[in-house]
Amino acid sequence: MRTLIRNGMIVAAVDEFKGDVLIEGEKIIAVGENLDPMADHVIDAAGKYVLPGGVDQHVHYSFEFKGERVRGFETSHAAVAGGTTTVVEFVNQEQGKGMADTIFEFDEKEVSKQAMADYSYHAVVCDPVDSTFEEIHDLPNRGISTVKLFMAYKGMPFHSDDEALYKALVAAKDAGVTVMVHAENADVIDILQKKYVSEGKTAPYYHALSRPTRVELEATQRVINLAAMAEAPVYIVHVTAGEVMKAIRSAKNDGLPIYGETCVQYLMLDKDDLAKPNFEGAKYVMSPALRTKADQEALWEAVDNGWLNAISTDHCGFDWESQKHMGIDNFTDIPNGSPGVENRLGVLWTYGVNTGRISRQRFVDLFATTPAKNMGLDHCKGHIGVGMDADLVIYDPDKTSVISNENSLHGVDFSTFEGYTQEGEVTKVFLRGKLVVDDGEFIGEKGDGKFIPGKPFGLC
Amino acid sequence: MRTLIRNGMIVAAVDEFKGDVLIEGEKIIAVGENLDPMADHVIDAAGKYVLPGGVDQHVHYSFEFKGERVRGFETSHAAVAGGTTTVVEFVNQEQGKGMADTIFEFDEKEVSKQAMADYSYHAVVCDPVDSTFEEIHDLPNRGISTVKLFMAYKGMPFHSDDEALYKALVAAKDAGVTVMVHAENADVIDILQKKYVSEGKTAPYYHALSRPTRVELEATQRVINLAAMAEAPVYIVHVTAGEVMKAIRSAKNDGLPIYGETCVQYLMLDKDDLAKPNFEGAKYVMSPALRTKADQEALWEAVDNGWLNAISTDHCGFDWESQKHMGIDNFTDIPNGSPGVENRLGVLWTYGVNTGRISRQRFVDLFATTPAKNMGLDHCKGHIGVGMDADLVIYDPDKTSVISNENSLHGVDFSTFEGYTQEGEVTKVFLRGKLVVDDGEFIGEKGDGKFIPGKPFGLC
Amino acid sequence: MRTLIRNGMIVAAVDEFKGDVLIEGEKIIAVGENLDPMADHVIDAAGKYVLPGGVDQHVHYSFEFKGERVRGFETSHAAVAGGTTTVVEFVNQEQGKGMADTIFEFDEKEVSKQAMADYSYHAVVCDPVDSTFEEIHDLPNRGISTVKLFMAYKGMPFHSDDEALYKALVAAKDAGVTVMVHAENADVIDILQKKYVSEGKTAPYYHALSRPTRVELEATQRVINLAAMAEAPVYIVHVTAGEVMKAIRSAKNDGLPIYGETCVQYLMLDKDDLAKPNFEGAKYVMSPALRTKADQEALWEAVDNGWLNAISTDHCGFDWESQKHMGIDNFTDIPNGSPGVENRLGVLWTYGVNTGRISRQRFVDLFATTPAKNMGLDHCKGHIGVGMDADLVIYDPDKTSVISNENSLHGVDFSTFEGYTQEGEVTKVFLRGKLVVDDGEFIGEKGDGKFIPGKPFGLC
Amino acid sequence: MRTLIRNGMIVAAVDEFKGDVLIEGEKIIAVGENLDPMADHVIDAAGKYVLPGGVDQHVHYSFEFKGERVRGFETSHAAVAGGTTTVVEFVNQEQGKGMADTIFEFDEKEVSKQAMADYSYHAVVCDPVDSTFEEIHDLPNRGISTVKLFMAYKGMPFHSDDEALYKALVAAKDAGVTVMVHAENADVIDILQKKYVSEGKTAPYYHALSRPTRVELEATQRVINLAAMAEAPVYIVHVTAGEVMKAIRSAKNDGLPIYGETCVQYLMLDKDDLAKPNFEGAKYVMSPALRTKADQEALWEAVDNGWLNAISTDHCGFDWESQKHMGIDNFTDIPNGSPGVENRLGVLWTYGVNTGRISRQRFVDLFATTPAKNMGLDHCKGHIGVGMDADLVIYDPDKTSVISNENSLHGVDFSTFEGYTQEGEVTKVFLRGKLVVDDGEFIGEKGDGKFIPGKPFGLC
Ligand SMILES: [Zn+2]
Ligand SMILES: [Zn+2]
Ligand SMILES: [Zn+2]
Ligand SMILES: [Zn+2]
Ligand SMILES: [Zn+2]
Ligand SMILES: [Zn+2]
Ligand SMILES: [Zn+2]
Ligand SMILES: [Zn+2]
């Protein structure tokens, strides 16, 4: 079966042109002008952009924090409705179990029949014993090309010390697995948290004060040094600040394979949001913490120049009412994280492309093309090319709306960007050739999403 | 009329895939799988790469040095035979005449009926009077989007001092014209040249000693500062050394729109080549001078990382026997420059792609895609995309040869890369849909090449 | 004859202690406790500081600008009254005359019988012919160890281009002569001046706008590169901005012998002073121009850390009424420069030492010890040590006054620091053992000052 | 009682001059020419240098490693004979005991009646409980102004993690106590040690391979970040490498109060020394490890420029035969450290001053003046000034010898600089006015050394 999308402005990381995309089955088979008008379905995209489906390389559909768990893959249609057709999920290893086993048990139980977006997995080291590091060599055989460690979160099972980090790097290098790191100094955060709480400073705003930029800078420099000794690449997730970005850029300039992403919220919000009254600030409790407007500008410049190579969401769906309120008397009990997977395209388009901070080419690169490369998924995901999966978004630039949680599918009781204007609308989405969003409405089904194995050596 | 190129490995700056390219008239109208088998011509590219025709943004077909003139556009088939379908020529302004008038008089007299490659023009300031700087505002209307100034060559008409440079930058900024600069400190070179000659040190090797890296670094830092004051972008041509590249990178990191290219010879040769006996060294007399092997490595790393964004040739066709020998007794009388336009693809493929220094994607970006952007030609040149000019190269990776001037079309009596192995061969070239190289032989005609106006604001 | 200064707090660049200084003739012969109570004169310095007489390495007693000339050595008692016992004067070479001949003719005619402070000389290249550069080798024999070039002031006889600069550096290196540079890009200033004037922007404030920090940064980087090629040390005079200081520091960090000073006014004033109404701004017209408060902070940090190694005044005594008013209709006609030699100690003590920005040790180092070294005068000048010239200042920290031109000796009709509070007072000054200031009053005589030859290789 | 040292060349950090030093009791009371010839003792120093007694801010007379203990204060005459009159000892806190109590119990038992040099103490955190950090506030009252933490040595009681480090920094800042840090990443060293040993690579050379420069760089950057967050100064001990020095310099350039020393051995030796046959290499097993000749050059440049501000010895007297041989089968069992306190002056004079790498002024600064400041001892130690302790060294530059353990007093069975030529000889030493070395022979007594309390805020 063939579908022809006609006369759209087809946007790639390199260029854009007005033309057609021809789909056969799950794949793109041609791009051109005046392609096969005899296709089974012909969709007119005149006046609209045709974008590759987004790849969000950083989402959490299984994260737990002090006993509370985020919304799962049953809400993954939110990603799709927002133009993101592939998500990459972090799965925390269970103690005493292999990382891949943890992942595929989770997959079977909670994902494979639920997923409405395509997905891939990051392993997460939580049990830093020798067998865990040995398992890294085997991960690519199971379609896992990335392994994450948390330098933050002292006392949590998923916290890693330098020993774990270094051992993971050494193992990962040989296997072509990319180590991803949440870089914050756990000890200093722990001391500052206790200090503020002991002083009665328990409001959400103290979350930001207990996690200053230097805790992120320190951990970033540390893992750069560890990676240099292990001769391994490293990917720094959710970079929040100009200084941290510069540490990454400087390492790259020294010839080291160090890379990083930022997230939509670090480009858009700042720590004043944590000071919102009536515990509203808790919605913005995430780690690392939100920074300053100057950092936002530095990050926009960084993504425009490729000093950071992707923009993800760190989507993390905790309810404000029932879950974030655990920390009403103590900010350290607020589950960290905020939802965002649904708004990545709309927000970046409105505040990045339409303000002139990034071009449409750069947007596509940051939203889809390079994340797919980072994850070893670029053989089938991330741009509009012949032979690629037919993951396509038709974006109507002329519609304007206001982001509101009422219209959201993410299953969380608040929206991180509530009240923000969005210019443009996702009107249609194809997932491997299947129309799953039409007229802006999700029309897909649970189980439409498929596991996409990541290939190793993505950053080498 | 339609031509179908089938089953090639189509290489772009973002990706590559096996498939077809469909040409109608002068344009690419589709890329895909199993495209229109009913095309008038069907060419099988199985086992071969299909590359975009190269854009060499830095060639000299009209340069004069102490009364001697280089080979002209009558030799431009050498570019085409080497896979470069578009060249951008520097035309030195005549004293008392407008830059564009100089260009289009030259065009009419020596280019339009001669050119076998498509071409565009850089204006070159030689008469730094007010009317010249005023003319910059009008250049884009005449299809000229770049203007070059020479900081080197004290005493030559084309030498520019800081006043000329700054005035050009101020004018260019408004007009969206990109200022390109040959950056070397003219005064120090002049002193060192006179010193060596007065000491009887007249051999070609002293050319390199009289132009140390610092003369290039100084001028580069100077023009960066001038550009910062004028708030204008600058493009530094023929960067030769790691330190110079770092100055450009550092300016970019500071948020300034400073860019640069390097040339094939600076990646491949070093100053020991100037010490070759029997005046062979004169073949390698070019400015800036060849540097060290460490600089070569720094430059390869720079092009791989995008710290320099294009690789051109600075093609300059002076004969060794009849022209370079002018300087047999005094290296300052050797006409500067060497030919290279014919070998860019082959040498970069062999010593860049096949050694693993750069990927095929990166090669295409440096060889065609980004040069086209730099020059304001990316609306029709530089990559394989729908609606683009059908400038295509079919490259057979399995043939190996040895570069020899005997087989060369450039009309010069020596080859810069004589004796170097070349892996792969340009077997077919299409210029706007017309087959101009077949079976490795040039079959086009004089006048096939067309002037392509450059659009302004290429680097903004 | 012996003089004993008792019980003062004797301050050196290394330490300070309460004790005595014993003078015999022109020299210090001992420092200690309870020294020779049988001295001919005994002066009680209890409760006061005993400081080395200051060395101001940058003054102008002979400068001319568009036909106007500054106050000369007949006003040099102002230096002494302000605690500066040695000044180093820049003497612009006369065209067609040797630099040293120019200096010593001036010395005989206008200095030797006038000077009330000790003095040394900088040669200044104004006639860049070969014989001038050759003369550099001979300067140390005549007691001149420094030679200055102006990169600024396009069209003036004292402007130097890169050729002159480089030749001077090459010659100076061998001779152990230190090249000092006024670093500003002359071409850009000239263009900006003409632009503002042509737009009718003729007020003093446009002096600052026509000389942005980048013109100083550019020239500084340029001379660093030239010096690196000549393998010569360079001393950058009157550094005004944090960015310029960083360029010097960075060169030093790279192992290059690059040094710089700042001046009192760049630590204290900013470009808003040029906006004072009623042509008051003209008092602050000096080159380079005054910068921002942030630059002041950067410079204080620099002198505290030794990134700049001296604080001088660039004392330049033009009257406001009769001379600066030449530029009432055009800021480019305002003679550049301001007086300051009388206030260096008082201002630095009040706003540097007493605010905690620098220690007393650091003050002495910047005010006397290191300037003496820079100038090759440290065999007899710059600190309180046995065998050194008995140039001593007794400073009473408990007196407070307001700086007012009424009480000034400098012979200029305004004071740069008019109205500023000064904490402490120079109560006594000894010049080579002779009491020349007593009870805060100058009691010396014309001709008390002596020429002190500078030794070469001061910065090597 | 008065002693007069006549006609020596008296060397200070600022200058030097030929003259006399007059001592009364324990103090210097005058420096000058032709001072009191009626003194009780008159010593002629003509042709010799008079230097301030050295301050070695980093020695170990009580260190234990895997049950083995170094030579103690009974060997402290070695320091004195080598021109070092003050040593600062690191005393590891006993578990469950206060740091000062540990120190003064040790003092009473093993130091006060043994010491032949003056001494001060560093506290060392080994029991990182709250009471330990609280005690820091009280240390200055007990004459302790520095507290050290070891980032290296995983598993040892004296290892500190980031929590301990940060808590110490916070406490120290308020108290004016300087935190000193042994900066190496303990986890990576531990992994590399186990790796090498498991591979049978047990020779001393693997000590160096298991502690690459990056482990030191990482820890240095980490503690800089921690200090920046605590707003506290930090002193990095025994810097071994150019890259580490640059991290310190860069922090200083950013306005942070970060300082560091190097040691004689890192200036003189390199890691090839660990490869000496017959277990000779074990003599050079120290931490951090010896580096490369390029690092030596970088460190010489650093001490010359003040990028590192002191040269100490890290003197650590383990016998080779009876103690270092513990590690004959496993380099991780070799007690770390080497003796050097006796050779600091001679080696630095010979290989620093006499080679022209540093001036005599700079030598005195690094050997005595600045170490005294760092330690809060500059009110009485570190230079030749009125009121200072009469700690003086008479150095005869004309004698030359070869360093040999036979002539050594340090009580260790080998000398780190065995066989090195020494130019010059310590002929006389005064300790607080008492002649304790005469004709090159130690003539003092146990108990001559006195505890000198350090004052706080030495680095603020
Ligand atoms: Zn995270
Ligand atoms: Zn996350
Ligand atoms: Zn050129
Ligand atoms: Zn060229
Ligand atoms: Zn000046
Ligand atoms: Zn001046
Ligand atoms: Zn240590
Ligand atoms: Zn130690």
Side-chain angles (χ1 to χ4, degrees), chain B residues 388-440:
Chain B
M388 303 296 286
D389 282 354
D391 297 341
L392 294 163
V393 176
I394 299 184
Y395 197 71
D396 182 344
D398 296 329
K399 300 205 172 148
T400 292
S401 57
V402 172
I403 295 172
S404 160
N405 203 52
E406 285 181 29
N407 312 319
S408 182
L409 303 176
H410 59 199
V412 187
D413 69 351
F414 73 98
S415 179
T416 308
F417 302 102
E418 184 76 28
Y420 279 73
T421 297
Q422 177 180 311
E423 297 169 5
E425 187 188 285
V426 172
T427 56
K428 284 185 169 46
V429 176
F430 293 85
L431 179 66
R432 278 175 287 104
K434 176 177 177 183
L435 186 70
V436 290
V437 172
D438 197 12
D439 279 337

Side-chain angles (χ1 to χ4, degrees), chain C residues 8 24 48 104 148 187 227 239 246 355:
Chain C
E24 185 169 274
K48 306 198 174 62
F104 290 105
K148 181 183 183 180
D187 282 21
V239 172
K246 284 178 192 172
T355 59

Side-chain angles (χ1 to χ4, degrees), chain A residues 58 60 148 150 153 182 237-238 287-288 314:
Chain A
H58 189 155
H60 296 278
K148 182 183 184 182
F150 287 90
Y153 299 114
H182 174 134
V237 299
H238 49 44
S287 295
D314 201 1

Side-chain angles (χ1 to χ4, degrees), chain D residues 58 148 150 182 237-238 287 314:
Chain D
H58 189 156
K148 182 184 183 180
F150 287 89
H182 174 133
V237 298
H238 48 45
S287 295
D314 201 3

